[in-house]
Amino acid sequence: MNGTTESCDVAAFTVAYGESARREARDCEASFRHWHPDIPFLCLDEKAYHQLSGKHPPAWLSEIVSMRSLAGWFLSRRVKRLIYLDSDIFVLGRLDALIDPAGTSWTADIDEFTMGVPECPRINSGVLASSEPSFWQAWTAAQFGCLMPAVTHFFFDQLSLRLLAHGGAIRGKMIDGQPGSPFYNIAIRERPGEWRVENDVVYKGNERAVIFHQAGEQQRGIAAAPEALRAHLSKITTGDHGPAIDFNAWWDADGAAFSANLQQSIPQWPTITLEALLADVYARTSGQYRTVAPAAWDRYRKLDGTPWKRVWNHDWQAYLYHQ
């Protein structure tokens, strides 16, 4: 990959593990560059995962999804402000509130989607930005250094983010739909009203939208988008050229030091019992899972107290734990 080898003020990145994700990421990148042609954009694939994760394959699906925090920790060593976007996103307008250099900015998830923890802030992990390396470090430790297998499917990254915010371990601000501000994260079924485009400005009902997120949809891409958006999406994804980050050069210069710091940092986090965090979730696990204790930086760790083992699932192209 050709791109900048120097540090920069603002950069955006996505994670695309697998060919289908890479196809989505191309539209995400092109639509981002349409509005921000001068900001470097980086798409991290399986090779980058291999480098960042200590050359281990993902142990389970959540470790693929969670690469966003690990990559954020590494990139924040050279980028002052990092914007993360899921690969299944179209950028519909300028992302000024994400580029704002202050602190950490989060976007909202659909109101009814509580993950069984209704008192937690409903943060969506697919659209966010931070100028604080400590944010990426804390989120990484909560995902890669801890075990939380009671969380179903691959929502581990999102629930861990909510729990960190709920516990005050990390701080940020919600920018999505604040008074006078457009929505930065809208999916097909979220927010009342129909989609419409007026003079290159996109609305969902009466609300302006600057990101269209196809999260949870079986079919994705322009053809699967609401009909009212398709022509606009085709228009803003016609080009994808612009500044990039030379990830390989950065890794060659800093990867060994980063990996050493990672391995030293994660085991220092304190042990927390799952029962103390999520008593109702713990109760449903029949006592199989004991803690969200930081483990050694070891992709081949076993899940103590469980009969689970690793198998290869060709459909997901990932290692999974199965009983």
Side-chain angles (χ1 to χ4, degrees):
M1 177 186 298
N2 294 322
T4 178
T5 59
E6 305 297 329
S7 298
C8 56
D9 290 336
V10 182
F13 75 102
T14 191
V15 172
Y17 197 105
E19 179 54 36
S20 61
R22 286 195 294 273
R23 287 195 299 268
E24 294 170 0
R26 286 191 282 271
D27 282 339
C28 175
E29 177 178 357
S31 64
F32 177 85
R33 292 191 185 281
H34 181 85
W35 306 102
H36 299 288
D38 298 327
I39 295 179
F41 190 98
L42 175 64
C43 180
L44 296 169
D45 58 11
E46 295 93 330
K47 180 181 177 182
Y49 183 97
H50 184 76
Q51 292 169 296
L52 285 162
S53 67
K55 301 181 180 179
H56 293 304
W60 55 321
L61 286 179
S62 292
E63 289 193 335
I64 298 174
V65 178
S66 300
M67 188 171 79
R68 65 195 70 184
S69 63
L70 182 61
W73 185 348
F74 175 71
L75 295 172
S76 68
R77 295 160 73 95
R78 288 184 176 235
V79 181
K80 293 180 180 178
R81 177 83 174 167
L82 268 174
I83 300 169
Y84 172 76
L85 303 173
D86 274 354
S87 61
D88 57 351
I89 274 174
F90 291 92
V91 179
L92 307 175
R94 286 189 57 82
L95 305 181
D96 294 328
L98 289 175
I99 295 172
D100 180 349
T104 299
S105 300
W106 296 320
T107 58
D109 200 12
I110 187 169
D111 291 346
E112 294 80 9
F113 191 37
T114 66
M115 295 184 175
V117 194
E119 70 273 17
C120 278
R122 292 168 184 169
I123 300 170
N124 187 286
S125 61
V127 182
L128 50 83
S130 184
S131 304
E132 301 172 315
S134 60
F135 163 73
W136 303 104
Q137 293 166 15
W139 196 14
T140 300
Q143 296 178 86
F144 282 85
C146 305
L147 301 179
M148 197 185 292
V151 179
T152 59
H153 201 38
F154 52 78
F155 299 129
F156 179 72
D157 62 301
Q158 196 146 291
L159 181 55
S160 62
L161 179 58
R162 294 180 182 193
L163 291 172
L164 286 170
H166 181 59
I170 54 177
R171 299 188 181 278
K173 62 181 179 181
M174 296 290 291
I175 62 171
D176 208 16
Q178 297 294 322
S181 173
F183 284 100
Y184 273 70
N185 197 347
I186 299 185
I188 290 176
R189 297 174 184 83
E190 294 178 338
R191 316 300 173 199
E194 299 297 322
W195 290 94
R196 72 181 193 280
V197 182
E198 297 179 1
N199 298 320
D200 283 342
V201 178
V202 179
Y203 296 88
K204 182 70 159 63
N206 294 323
E207 305 291 348
R208 187 180 173 193
V210 294
I211 279 181
F212 169 51
H213 195 170
Q214 290 182 307
E217 298 300 318
Q218 299 246 340
Q219 300 296 322
R220 298 173 182 172
I222 295 175
E227 187 174 355
L229 289 182
R230 292 174 195 168
H232 183 67
L233 297 181
S234 296
K235 175 182 176 181
I236 64 176
T237 55
T238 54
D240 60 356
H241 300 294
I245 289 170
D246 191 334
F247 180 82
N248 291 327
W250 284 15
W251 186 260
D252 289 343
D254 200 29
F258 170 75
S259 295
N261 183 38
L262 186 72
Q263 294 177 46
Q264 293 169 3
S265 298
I266 284 179
Q268 297 174 10
W269 279 64
T271 297
I272 306 170
T273 64
L274 184 60
E275 186 176 16
L277 285 173
L278 296 171
D280 59 333
V281 172
Y282 181 82
R284 291 198 298 271
T285 66
S286 303
Q288 286 186 332
Y289 311 114
R290 298 291 183 249
T291 70
V292 287
W297 179 246
D298 177 14
R299 276 298 182 284
Y300 293 96
R301 63 184 182 263
K302 65 178 182 177
L303 296 177
D304 291 330
T306 80
W308 286 24
K309 61 183 179 180
R310 194 192 315 270
V311 299
W312 178 254
N313 184 315
H314 289 283
D315 292 333
W316 285 100
Q317 296 183 349
Y319 281 94
L320 301 174
Y321 286 111
H322 285 288
Q323 287 185 298

